[in-house]
């Protein structure tokens, strides 16, 4: 009797497991971001599972810190999740030969590619394969804490001259620890490139060659140094000493000691949220007094890509399309990854007032201003990594007074050329 | 003997015929052997091979040679990293051992509540290497952290501990020295093993406490000092967590230890060839220093059996 019972239980279990296995395809989906993005994405994934009961999705998500290193190892060892939120430069960094990501053109019967502009798709096409679907375009812009400027008795700066003047006003009226702007090492590098493009009207890198002379780069570094000397931005010693992992976690940003940032338009939400209640977050303008050109670039902020190792590529494609093109998914994802490039998604969010007004304003300003192109290697980890990257080393040495602008220019040229393979 | 016992005995003797004791022994060690081959020897040999290549995680290998080692000995940043690592080891190992021995010596006295003290002093070495403590350390020493707040109460403006190259390595070293608990416990056990009669005899001979410490205690616990020295040396050279979390190697590379460069090159920049070469250089340095330590033993380490042997002669 006992044997019969055990046998029956075993049979029922095997049957149950096998039917589950047969009925469900499990795919994995990875992304990085803050809490708001996690919450929105999890809701969207739940809605997808409800709509597609034959597909189960396992989530892998975290903050950005350390994420690129982790995912780099996963892609190198062919153990990456099936669907991935990827940084734009990962396509060239991990899959320059097209070996890591699926060509999404082959899944165009599931993914509605017609919702995307050709330029966006071209930006993600490497080795003749559409390796990712761009989620949004992003660029850098100033954000100001209006309350901090009001406290100093001035308005938010609309030009470089006003910003430089604000440095002294902050120091005199508010104190030594107050600055109208704060820039980390990578922010300094991007701002310098924006400035150089405004002055000289050319891309930073062209056909894998650094497009600026030593004197021009020295002028750019001097532009940064002058801001530091003029009490416009804190020194890197001061900023590092704050002990915060990122600017949005820095008390001096939260309470108005630092009056502005130069950030991605898509990052507005987390910086706005970080401010204390008595502070006011506003989108700034690009400065037209740097030079005669509209310096700056926009780039694909991130893309969704399907790993070549994915067992069920169709299921991953369904999820991708649901998140970027289908109303239900789009409504839940909101603008947590910037202003969507998908026409359908954009129209739906705008019509239903689901776009974050600050992000939308910043994105519109960025896209209408910038005129230059970004080389994917600009974001190579060897160049941009915190502390260890070439940009961080150059900016730190300059800020700490270890080298002058000429020495820093030499360091930067050598580092960039090394990554470009020259 | 029951039928069941008879059957099992028959099975055993049949099994024993098939597997002699040597084979059984081999079966016992097989799991360890497989683990050693796949998880130790293979990566060890691979890294040696990669160190002579430009192995890149995504681009593979395109050339072979000694260029990684040339790079290591000519790159200013890497040489600085080795210098910083030596400084770190030279500061932390002796200070940690001295602190551990000092506290162990005190805790060896019959003090009220001594077990609580022992636990209290041991706790940091359990927590010390953790991410949470490193984060706490960072919070303590940031510009507006607890340390500077306390200094401000005394009317002193504290420095930028984490961002001034003058102090950053000191702060990182302090975290390691603070984790003296495990060495302390080993010292405490050694101190308890020193025979009481030696102290009694020397007291009768008029030896002071200081003389007793240097002439009895230290020589008798010297094997343990040697053990702690070698293990601490190896661990200090491999330190990673503290500086990685607290300063990320900055400011100006003043806290960038070799282990961090190995990580950066291999994991961040995907240059496994260079990373492997760095790991081998570190390994060779460690081997040489350990060898020196072992060779130096005969001048300062006293083993009780040797002493007895000398006595007999």
């Amino acid at each position: 009797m006992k044997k019969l019972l055990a046998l029956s239980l075993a049979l029922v279990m095997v049957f149950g497991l096998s039917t589950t296995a047969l009925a469900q395809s499990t795919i994995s989906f990875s992304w990085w971001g803050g809490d708001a993005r996690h919450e929105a994405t999890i809701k969207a994934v739940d809605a997808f599972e409800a709509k597609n009961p034959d597909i189960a999705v396992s989530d892998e998500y975290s903050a950005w810190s350390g994420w690129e290193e982790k995912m780099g190892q996963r892609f190198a060892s062919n153990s990456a999740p099936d669907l991935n939120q990827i940084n734009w430069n990962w396509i060239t960094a991990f899959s320059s030969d097209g070996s890591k990501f699926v060509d999404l053109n082959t899944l165009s019967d599931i993914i509605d590619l017609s919702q995307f502009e050709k330029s966006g798709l071209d930006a993600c096409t490497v080795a003749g394969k559409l390796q990712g679907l761009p989620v949004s375009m992003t660029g850098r812009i100033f954000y100001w804490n209006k309350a901090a400027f009001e406290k100093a008795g001035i308005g938010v700066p609309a030009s470089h001259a006003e910003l430089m003047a604000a440095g002294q006003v902050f120091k005199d009226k508010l104190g030594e620890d107050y600055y109208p702007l704060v820039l980390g090492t990578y922010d300094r590098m991007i701002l310098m490139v924006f400035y150089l493009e405004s002055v000289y009207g050319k891309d930073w890198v062209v056909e894998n060659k650094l497009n600026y002379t030593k004197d021009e780069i020295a002028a750019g570094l001097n532009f940064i140094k002058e801001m530091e000397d003029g009490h416009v931005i804190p020194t890197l010693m001061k900023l590092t000493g704050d002990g915060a992992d990122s600017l949005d976690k820095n008390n001096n940003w939260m309470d108005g000691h630092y009056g502005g940032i130069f950030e991605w338009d898509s990052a507005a939400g987390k910086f706005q949220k970080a401010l204390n209640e008595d502070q006011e977050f506003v989108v700034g303008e690009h400065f037209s007094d740097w030079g005669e050109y509209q310096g700056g670039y926009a780039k694909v902020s991130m893309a969704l890509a399907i790993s070549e190792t994915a067992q069920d590529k169709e299921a991953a494609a369904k999820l991708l399309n649901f998140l970027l093109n289908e109303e239900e998914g789009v409504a839940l994802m909101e603008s947590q990854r910037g202003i969507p490039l998908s026409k359908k998604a954009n129209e739906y969010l705008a019509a239903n007032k689901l776009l974050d007004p600050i992000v939308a304003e910043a994105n519109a300003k960025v896209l209408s201003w910038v005129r230059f192109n970004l080389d994917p290697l600009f974001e190579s980890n060897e160049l941009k990594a915190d502390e260890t990257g070439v940009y961080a080393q150059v900016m730190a040495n300059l800020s700490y007074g270890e080298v002058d602008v000429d020495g820093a220019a030499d360091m930067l040229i050598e580092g960039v050329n090394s990554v470009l393979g020259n | 003997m029951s039928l069941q016992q008879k059957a099992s005995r028959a099975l055993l003797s049949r099994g024993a015929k098939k597997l002699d004791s040597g084979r059984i022994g081999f079966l016992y060690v097989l799991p360890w052997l497989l683990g050693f081959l796949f998880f130790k020897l293979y990566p060890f040999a691979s890294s040696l091979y990669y160190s002579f290549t430009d192995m890149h995680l995504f681009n593979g290998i395109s050339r072979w040679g000694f260029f990684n080692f040339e790079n290591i000995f000519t790159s200013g940043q890497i040489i600085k990293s080795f210098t910083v690592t030596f400084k770190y080891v030279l500061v932390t190992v002796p200070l940690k051992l001295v602190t551990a021995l000092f506290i162990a010596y005190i805790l060896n006295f019959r003090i009220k509540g001594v077990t609580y003290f022992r636990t209290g002093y041991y706790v940091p070495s359990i927590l010390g290497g953790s991410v949470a403590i490193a984060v706490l350390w960072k919070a303590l020493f940031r510009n507006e952290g607890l340390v500077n707040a306390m200094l401000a109460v005394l009317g002193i403006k504290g420095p930028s501990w984490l961002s001034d190259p003058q102090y950053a390595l000191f702060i990182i070293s302090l975290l390691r020295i603070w984790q003296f608990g495990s060495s302390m416990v080993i010292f405490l056990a050694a101190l308890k093993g020193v025979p009481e009669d030696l102290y009694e005899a020397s007291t009768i001979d008029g030896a002071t406490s200081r003389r007793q410490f240097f002439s009895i205690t230290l020589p008798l616990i010297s094997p343990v000092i040697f053990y702690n020295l070698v293990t601490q040396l190896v661990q200090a050279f491999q330190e990673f967590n503290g500086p990685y979390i607290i300063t990320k190697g900055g400011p100006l590379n003043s806290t960038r230890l070799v282990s961090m460069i190995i990580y950066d090159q291999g994991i961040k920049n995907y240059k496994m060839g260079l990373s492997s070469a760095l790991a081998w250089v570190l390994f060779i340095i460690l081997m040489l220093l350990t060898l020196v330590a072992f060779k130096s033993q005969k001048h300062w380490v006293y083993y009780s059996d040797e002493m007895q042997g000398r006595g007999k002669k």
Side-chain angles (χ1 to χ4, degrees), chain A residues 87-97 101 126 131 376-377, chain B residues 59:
Chain A
N87 220 6
W88 175 56
N89 73 315
W90 290 10
I91 297 176
T92 40
F94 302 159
S95 185
S96 56
D97 58 354
F101 303 118
V126 174
Q131 300 196 41
L377 285 176
Chain B
N59 304 333

Side-chain angles (χ1 to χ4, degrees), chain A residues 312-387:
Chain A
D312 192 343
K313 295 181 176 65
E314 283 77 18
K318 270 188 187 175
L319 176 58
L320 191 160
N321 195 58
F322 179 81
L323 298 174
L324 297 192
N325 285 330
E326 291 180 29
E327 280 183 5
E328 196 180 351
V330 166
L332 292 165
M333 295 272 273
E334 297 175 338
S335 47
Q336 287 300 334
R337 285 174 174 78
I339 305 302
L341 276 183
S342 161
K343 289 173 214 159
K344 203 189 263 184
N346 201 319
E347 282 162 14
Y348 179 82
L349 291 178
N352 290 281
K353 296 193 167 63
L354 288 170
L355 290 175
D356 183 319
I358 291 274
V359 177
E361 182 191 348
N363 187 254
K365 281 182 175 173
V366 166
L367 296 185
S368 66
W369 177 266
V370 297
R371 294 286 181 273
F372 294 88
N373 299 304
L374 176 69
D375 182 78
L377 285 176
F378 185 86
E379 297 192 319
S380 137
N381 222 351
E382 225 169 311
L383 291 174
K384 76 159 187 184
D386 283 352
E387 287 292 342

Side-chain angles (χ1 to χ4, degrees), chain A residues 237 241 245 382 388 393 400, chain B residues 138 143 163 253 264 268 271:
Chain A
M237 186 191 276
D245 285 334
E382 225 169 311
T388 54
Q393 294 283 324
Y400 277 83
Chain B
K138 193 174 177 179
N143 285 352
S163 58
N253 300 318
D264 289 340
K268 279 188 175 174
K271 292 179 175 175

Side-chain angles (χ1 to χ4, degrees), chain A residues 69 72-73 76 93-94 237-238 240-243 245 251-252 381-382 386-388 393 396-397 400 402, chain B residues 57-58 77 138 142-144 163-165 247-248 250-253 256 263-264 266-272:
Chain A
E69 289 87 328
Q73 305 303 312
F94 302 159
M237 186 191 276
K238 158 83 177 111
T240 311
D242 289 346
D245 285 334
N251 282 335
N252 287 315
N381 222 351
E382 225 169 311
D386 283 352
E387 287 292 342
T388 54
Q393 294 283 324
N397 273 281
Y400 277 83
E402 292 291 304
Chain B
L57 267 185
F58 292 96
Q77 204 177 3
K138 193 174 177 179
R142 65 193 175 91
N143 285 352
E144 288 149 18
S163 58
D164 190 333
T247 58
K248 291 183 183 153
L252 294 175
N253 300 318
R256 188 171 314 289
Y263 174 84
D264 289 340
I267 306 295
K268 279 188 175 174
N269 298 340
Y270 316 121
K271 292 179 175 175
M272 284 297 171

Side-chain angles (χ1 to χ4, degrees), chain A residues 138-142 187-200 204 212 223 262 264 286-287 290-291 293-298 366 369-370 372 374 378:
Chain A
T138 189
R140 290 265 179 153
I141 192 164
F142 290 112
D187 306 330
R188 288 170 189 227
M189 182 64 202
I190 297 173
L191 189 71
M192 186 191 84
V193 171
F194 272 44
Y195 168 76
L196 288 176
E197 287 171 349
S198 303
V199 175
Y200 298 103
W204 175 246
Y212 282 81
F223 163 79
F262 182 65
W264 300 113
H286 287 96
F287 296 159
W290 280 343
Y293 303 94
Q294 289 182 216
Y297 56 79
V366 166
W369 177 266
V370 297
F372 294 88
L374 176 69
F378 185 86

Side-chain angles (χ1 to χ4, degrees), chain A residues 259-273:
Chain A
I261 50 171
F262 182 65
E263 259 300 336
W264 300 113
D265 60 55
S266 51
K270 69 175 178 182
F271 284 96
Q272 185 180 22
K273 218 173 175 180

